[in-house]
Amino acid sequence: MSDSWKITLPCTRAEAEAIDPEGPAFAAMTAPPVLLTRELTEDDVEDWVLDAYFQDKPGRTEIALLRALVPSAGGVKVKPERIAEQDWVTLSQAGLEPVQAGRFYVHTSANRGDPPAGARAFHIEAGLAFGTGHHETTTGCLLTLEAMRARGMQVRNLIDVGTGTGLLAFAAMHLWPRARATASDIDPISIDVTRANAAANGVRLGAGPGRLALAVAPGMAHADIERRAPYDLVLANIIAAPLIELAPVIAAATAPGGTVVLAGLLERQAAAVAQAYRRHGFRIAGRVTLGDWPTLRMVRRPIR
């Protein structure tokens, strides 16, 4: 393993929560950095830190992109730190504490912790795909899914659009073990990560009930996804703009009475996202808000 590099910049909580791990800033890079934020002083919204881990020494362009993410650090001198002969992804996970969301317990190999009795533990590594459970958007989706199951909702056919690591699809399959499940992502790396995570977590792949089918697709534009519709549960933890753009496509693929769980949006974006789905026959059925990150549960009205 060759040397890797780390840059640390101070930031505020607001800046940390606004960082989009899948945003365009680093999309053109062959090996984009792993970005992690953490609170230095408990309940101090001004005392946060951004850590960025690079496989190669970052240059002026990469440093400028990082600075743009955290404007409050504008006057801070940036000095890349060489990390000799270590696995940069594993190192970046060392500070990630396990996350518990209802019955779900999500951990990395670097910090397994002690799962509580009765919890469904998922081993999800951070690094090449978004959706480790360590962000409020993913946690909000997990809590929403558990609440749906507790109310007795039945799911026979589900899809996780923009699956990232596969975690939400895995959680839904745990709650509804006989459902047919699909996970899609526009990024082939995310599908490779999901495949590896499925093996690590005992999730069976395939097309039948209780199995997960995988597809590389922009949104839901894939023959297999279209063939498996309609879905009675659609999960989409992405960001606001594509959620709005996908509203008519997701509506067309959702069964009457079916549910969509929408996340990855900020509080100020919730009204616009909800309105886009109302135009296509959905109503708000519930929401979970963690910090500035709401998770919307919307139900498609029956066709009369």
Side-chain angles (χ1 to χ4, degrees), residues 63-178:
I63 291 172
L65 290 173
L66 282 180
R67 284 193 179 280
L69 296 177
V70 288
S72 65
V76 176
K77 183 177 180 181
V78 175
K79 183 178 180 180
E81 174 188 354
R82 184 193 296 269
I83 303 171
E85 297 184 357
Q86 298 187 56
D87 183 331
W88 63 289
V89 173
T90 299
L91 184 69
S92 71
Q93 297 169 24
L96 291 180
E97 295 291 333
V99 171
Q100 185 169 4
R103 76 180 69 189
F104 301 112
Y105 181 89
V106 187
H107 65 85
T108 67
S109 59
N111 195 346
R112 295 182 180 277
D114 187 16
R120 173 56 166 102
F122 288 111
H123 172 191
I124 303 290
E125 300 292 6
L128 297 177
F130 178 67
T132 65
H134 292 83
H135 193 280
E136 288 92 337
T137 60
T138 311
T139 303
C141 289
L142 293 173
L143 293 173
T144 298
L145 289 173
E146 181 161 24
M148 290 163 54
R149 183 66 182 85
R151 285 191 294 270
M153 177 176 172
Q154 297 299 312
V155 174
R156 297 177 179 82
N157 190 21
L158 67 94
I159 184 168
D160 180 13
V161 180
T163 192
T165 63
L167 174 59
L168 295 182
F170 302 165
M173 293 175 71
H174 173 73
L175 296 172
W176 295 282
R178 294 300 299 164

